[in-house]
Amino acid sequence: MKIVLAYSGGLDTTVAISWLKETFKADVITVTVDVGQPDDFTRIEERAYQAGSWKHFTIDAKEEFANNYVKYAILLNGLYEGVYPLATALARPLIAEKVVNIAKKEGAEGVAHGSTSKGNDQIRFDLSVKALYPESKLIAPARIWNMTRDDEIKYAKERGIPIKTESSKYSIDENLWGRSIEGDIISDSMTQVPEDAFEWTKKTKTESSTIKIGFDKGVPVSVDDEKLNLLKLIQILNSIVGSYGFGRVDHIENRVVGFKSREVYEAPAALTLTLSHQDLEKTVMTPHELRFKRYMDSIWSDLVYQGLWYEPLREEIQYMAEEMNRWVTGEVLVKLEGAGAIVVGRSSQFSPYSEKVASYNKGWYPSDEMARGFIEIWGMHSLLAHKTRFG
């Protein structure tokens, strides 16, 4: 039997290699997918083979992640519950797809991942594998073996599996779009997150600065007039904006798996681009378009977070978002100051904004008769209802 394992190089998936071999008498093929995490992929491959992997594949999917996944998070202002930039959630379907492709290529009967029974990732991996390779045997060792971290370390030592045994205060998951931070030290929702938990948003700059972000059909294409592909643009913004300390999220999140959790994220580029894109949409779209679009944004974010990547509505919303973003072309000025980022200017050739209409000094003014008539008709529903109910 062959089993393909989504391999991160961490303790859970390293122990899983040996456990899968023992439990299923299987040849274990490991797959690591690069979606922008700053890992030593050569060392990860070495660790996989030392732990008993039969074959190992490292797949560079950064460009694909940026262009086919993150792009839509920007077009749809993807913030779960209005706060969380969908970094981890967004990467899981892509990782699962790459693992399944290797499984099919290698003729593997099983597909495995390292998610536990308590997290959201198990849903994202399971449903993606079921959609792409329903005939495979889906295995989640950490859901089955019920080992603690100490149990896993003991298991590895007994079998001579080389792992890092030093304790880490935090459990980190990161990719191009964001970095998530978990750990017992911050599970108390009233405990302030220590500075040593953060990597991307360490404040090294104190002077204020303004950056200009250019958009074409809703997709960011330039920073300060320098044309960049999406991958490079995000990497640059993570560095620039993060150096001002902007990009931290600390909130209580409603998990799919039945409980609330304290979640901490770093996402300087994601938050800056979402802030800028939302502002440019508001500048260009009509009020009806904007309100409908915000509803679409919320639905799409929920679907992605909840692991429903293969729900048809997710793809249909993306088609609609591309159509609505046809006119979202222009530039946004973002001021970086303190630990904040605010939009201080925007322009678009497709914006209906007109100073000639809006200005109170030299702009258009309706006559008293026009204003009275508009107000009378506009408020009639409400006034008639109020009168019939309250006299």
Side-chain angles (χ1 to χ4, degrees):
M1 182 181 184
K2 294 179 184 177
I3 298 174
V4 176
L5 170 67
Y7 183 63
S8 68
L11 177 62
D12 288 348
T13 52
T14 300
V15 169
I17 297 172
S18 178
W19 185 88
L20 288 167
K21 290 177 67 177
E22 289 183 11
T23 305
F24 295 94
K25 311 303 180 193
D27 292 324
V28 179
I29 301 166
T30 48
V31 180
T32 301
V33 183
D34 178 4
V35 285
Q37 66 272 37
D39 286 335
D40 183 342
F41 294 102
T42 299
R43 181 69 190 100
I44 287 175
E45 181 176 356
E46 291 172 355
R47 190 177 301 131
Y49 281 122
Q50 289 170 347
S53 178
W54 181 57
K55 283 186 183 180
H56 180 82
F57 296 85
T58 300
I59 300 172
D60 185 346
K62 293 191 294 294
E63 292 278 2
E64 185 174 354
F65 183 47
N67 296 326
N68 296 348
Y69 292 77
V70 173
K71 167 189 169 182
Y72 291 105
I74 297 169
L75 292 180
L76 283 147
N77 305 302
L79 300 174
Y80 177 62
E81 297 185 327
V83 176
Y84 160 50
L86 298 157
T88 300
L90 197 60
R92 293 312 186 232
L94 175 58
I95 295 170
E97 178 187 337
K98 298 305 180 185
V99 170
V100 164
N101 288 346
I102 295 296
K104 290 180 177 179
K105 178 182 175 182
E106 294 292 323
E109 298 94 329
V111 174
H113 60 77
S115 302
T116 69
S117 59
K118 198 171 182 177
N120 293 321
D121 278 343
Q122 60 176 329
I123 302 168
R124 298 159 185 159
F125 277 120
D126 277 26
L127 291 179
S128 294
V129 173
K130 287 176 180 292
L132 298 170
Y133 198 13
E135 62 271 31
S136 67
K137 181 178 180 64
L138 208 160
I139 308 164
R143 289 198 308 225
I144 301 169
W145 66 36
N146 199 30
M147 285 192 279
T148 64
R149 179 179 174 81
D150 288 341
D151 292 335
E152 291 176 0
I153 292 172
K154 180 181 177 183
Y155 180 97
K157 286 182 174 179
E158 288 174 349
R159 288 157 180 79
I161 300 172
I163 58 169
K164 293 181 179 180
T165 57
E166 62 268 25
S167 176
S168 173
K169 290 191 290 185
Y170 310 106
S171 174
I172 305 297
D173 183 272
E174 52 190 315
N175 60 46
L176 173 70
W177 199 230
R179 181 175 185 265
S180 70
I181 306 161
E182 294 181 339
D184 288 342
I185 193 171
I186 56 174
S187 60
D188 181 347
S189 62
M190 284 294 286
T191 298
Q192 186 172 340
V193 182
E195 277 299 311
D196 66 1
F198 299 104
E199 289 288 339
W200 293 13
T201 55
K202 291 180 178 178
K203 189 175 178 62
T204 60
K205 294 183 180 178
T206 55
E207 73 282 5
S208 64
S209 176
T210 302
I211 57 173
K212 181 168 64 175
I213 302 172
F215 288 83
D216 181 34
K217 297 180 180 178
V219 179
V221 293
S222 66
V223 175
D224 290 335
D225 296 321
E226 181 184 358
K227 294 288 185 181
L228 298 163
N229 66 37
L230 186 54
L231 173 61
K232 187 65 175 176
L233 186 146
I234 293 166
Q235 291 171 331
I236 287 174
L237 279 184
N238 272 329
S239 177
I240 293 174
V241 180
S243 69
Y244 284 85
F246 177 72
R248 297 182 182 183
V249 173
D250 183 340
H251 78 127
I252 299 298
E253 189 168 288
N254 289 301
R255 286 194 182 184
V256 183
V257 189
F259 64 96
K260 294 180 184 290
S261 61
R262 199 260 186 99
E263 301 292 340
V264 179
Y265 303 102
E266 291 182 286
L271 290 174
T272 302
L273 289 172
T274 302
L275 175 74
S276 303
H277 179 259
Q278 285 178 323
D279 194 280
L280 194 58
E281 280 190 331
K282 188 167 61 174
T283 300
V284 170
M285 290 182 175
T286 70
H288 296 294
E289 287 179 311
L290 185 66
R291 282 154 179 74
F292 180 71
K293 178 60 168 45
R294 293 294 174 262
Y295 178 68
M296 283 173 48
D297 295 347
S298 176
I299 296 298
W300 184 86
S301 297
D302 283 349
L303 292 174
V304 174
Y305 180 86
Q306 294 164 1
L308 297 172
W309 186 258
Y310 290 93
E311 159 62 45
L313 180 60
R314 189 271 310 168
E315 190 169 3
E316 291 159 357
I317 288 175
Q318 289 180 184
Y319 286 133
M320 185 66 174
E322 287 188 300
E323 176 64 22
M324 295 185 75
N325 270 270
R326 278 198 303 158
W327 315 111
V328 184
T329 294
E331 296 175 334
V332 179
L333 290 177
V334 179
K335 186 174 184 179
L336 305 170
E337 188 172 33
I342 59 171
V343 173
V344 294
R346 75 289 289 160
S347 68
S348 172
Q349 67 192 91
F350 300 113
S351 173
Y353 172 77
S354 168
E355 188 178 357
K356 291 181 180 179
V357 172
S359 172
Y360 274 82
N361 290 323
K362 54 187 177 183
W364 165 80
Y365 266 88
S367 67
D368 179 70
E369 184 180 7
M370 291 169 63
R372 287 179 180 275
F374 166 73
I375 294 168
E376 184 74 23
I377 296 171
W378 170 252
M380 191 173 296
H381 276 300
S382 299
L383 293 178
L384 288 175
H386 180 81
K387 184 176 181 179
T388 58
R389 295 174 189 181
F390 303 106

